[in-house]
């Protein structure tokens, strides 16, 4: 009951704040100045925060992009209710949703901006290195509840940790692995991706389900000062994304394959890593508006390079293929 009340309250606040853009009549609003909102699936907050940071820096403070991180459904509802002109979600609009917007004289632009991987993380003291797709499904459904059911282990019960019960990550795992079957009693939801990370660090029996951008980054640029990091985006180089050493990232294999893979960009690119999904940016902003300017930035060269450095696969930039021995 508390969760329902909290969700209703959050949506009410979101509705009021988003009305800023729909009500604002600012003649200074251009493709690089003014105020605009974006409503983004909370799973991609880490990525979109970086996009906004760089975009606003390049406009020298003339542009202000206000992000709201909510569920996939809330993103779509805000677009259909004209409370925002830009959303980021892990699916395209349905034909019915597109037809509705076009019926309201809206131009709908949709662009796949990235391919995200869902990572499985465990405590560094967990001896398990790999899971098959069927083993993951058994864990999520509650058919397997102890680590000793998978391999010799003294860790005891398995605690599955998601970011939020209404997140698109939860929906993805339910649809792709359980095919509508209910989660087991060993599955828990936190309130953020960072809490998932924290739970895995502190609980030896936990397994976290999290977007790979939350645990990976370009190791050469992540600690640079802001100005140097942004300047480096114009360089013609390749990124070296690696995983946070504070947790262990499991390998995953398809049931018909003997080889398992971690969610590195190259393995997302060629489909070897099986847990992945597309991310779409959808906008009804008109040409010359700030919404359209930000849409063009994220789908352009610099915006795509920012995505590449988060460890997921950008739609337009191919990763460097490296042989690992």
């Amino acid at each position: 009951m508390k969760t329902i009340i909290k969700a209703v309250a959050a949506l009410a606040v979101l509705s009021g704040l988003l009305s800023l853009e729909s009500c604002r009549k600012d003649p200074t609003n251009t493709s690089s100045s003014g105020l605009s909102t974006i409503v983004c699936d909370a799973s991609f907050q880490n990525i979109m925060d970086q996009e906004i940071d760089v975009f606003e820096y390049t406009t020298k403070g003339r542009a202000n992009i206000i992000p709201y991180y909510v569920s996939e459904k809330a993103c779509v509802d805000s677009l259909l209710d004209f409370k925002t002109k830009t959303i980021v979600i892990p699916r395209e609009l349905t034909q019915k949703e597109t037809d509705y917007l076009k019926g309201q004289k809206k131009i709908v632009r949709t662009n796949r901006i990235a391919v995200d991987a869902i990572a499985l993380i465990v405590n560094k003291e967990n001896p398990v290195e790999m899971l098959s797709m069927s083993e993951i499904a058994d864990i999520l459904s509650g058919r397997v509840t102890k680590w000793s059911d998978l391999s010799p282990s003294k860790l005891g019960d398995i605690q599955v940790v998601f970011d939020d019960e209404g997140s698109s990550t939860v929906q993805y795992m339910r649809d792709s692995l359980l095919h509508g079957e209910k989660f087991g009693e060993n599955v828990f939801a936190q309130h953020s991706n960072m809490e998932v990370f924290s739970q895995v660090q502190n609980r030896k029996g936990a397994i976290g389900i999290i977007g790979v951008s939350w645990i990976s980054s370009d190791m050469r640029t992540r600690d640079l000062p802001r100005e140097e990091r942004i300047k480096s985006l114009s360089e013609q180089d390749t990124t070296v994304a690696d995983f946070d050493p504070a947790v262990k990232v499991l390998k995953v294999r398809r049931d018909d394959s003997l080889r398992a893979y971690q969610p590195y960009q190259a393995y997302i690119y060629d489909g070897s890593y099986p847990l992945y999904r597309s991310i779409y940016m959808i906008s009804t902003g008109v040409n010359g508006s700030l919404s359209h300017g930000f849409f063009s930035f994220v789908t352009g060269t610099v915006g795509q390079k920012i995505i590449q450095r988060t460890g997921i696969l950008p739609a337009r930039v191919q990763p460097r293929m490296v042989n690992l021995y």
Side-chain angles (χ1 to χ4, degrees), residues 70-143:
V70 294
S71 68
E72 175 191 313
K73 182 180 184 302
C75 291
V76 176
D77 287 347
S78 66
L79 187 70
L80 298 180
D81 291 340
F82 313 117
K83 294 173 180 175
T84 189
K85 296 182 178 69
T86 310
I87 63 173
V88 176
I89 56 175
R91 69 171 177 87
E92 297 181 271
L93 294 180
T94 65
Q95 190 61 52
K96 182 178 179 181
E97 291 163 347
T98 301
D99 290 343
Y100 172 75
L101 290 170
K102 289 182 177 179
Q104 301 297 314
K105 310 300 182 184
K106 300 294 183 181
I107 297 175
V108 182
R109 294 181 175 88
T110 301
N111 205 317
R112 188 174 76 156
I113 59 173
V115 180
D116 183 32
I118 307 300
L120 307 183
I121 59 175
V122 295
N123 189 277
K124 291 178 67 176
E125 295 188 31
N126 191 321
V128 172
E129 300 287 341
M130 172 186 70
L131 290 174
S132 68
M133 294 287 278
S134 60
E135 287 172 333
I136 299 169
D138 286 342
I139 291 171
L140 293 176
S141 66
R143 291 188 291 270

Side-chain angles (χ1 to χ4, degrees), residues 170-181:
V170 170
Q171 188 66 41
Y172 172 85
M173 297 299 282
R174 180 187 290 119
D175 292 345
S176 60
L177 276 85
L178 296 187
H179 307 293
E181 184 181 356

Side-chain angles (χ1 to χ4, degrees), residues 121-123 126 147 157 159 161 199-200 203-208:
I121 59 175
V122 295
N123 189 277
N126 191 321
W147 287 107
D157 293 339
Q159 303 99 32
V161 187
Q199 286 291 317
V200 170
R203 301 175 69 176
K204 295 181 180 180
I207 177 170

Side-chain angles (χ1 to χ4, degrees), residues 85 87 93 106-111 281-289 292 295-296:
K85 296 182 178 69
I87 63 173
L93 294 180
K106 300 294 183 181
I107 297 175
V108 182
R109 294 181 175 88
T110 301
N111 205 317
M281 193 171 195
I282 304 167
S283 177
T284 58
V286 298
N287 289 341
S289 67
H292 183 253
F295 180 89
S296 299

Side-chain angles (χ1 to χ4, degrees), residues 300-317:
T301 301
V302 175
Q304 289 288 285
K305 196 164 188 177
I306 293 170
I307 289 173
Q308 186 176 22
R309 288 185 172 179
T310 67
I312 69 173
L313 185 67
R316 289 184 50 193
V317 182

Side-chain angles (χ1 to χ4, degrees), residues 16 27-28 36 43 55 83 95 142 153 159 184-185 196 205 231 307:
T28 65
S36 185
S43 299
F55 178 73
K83 294 173 180 175
Q95 190 61 52
S153 174
Q159 303 99 32
E185 295 182 359
V196 174
K231 182 180 179 181
I307 289 173

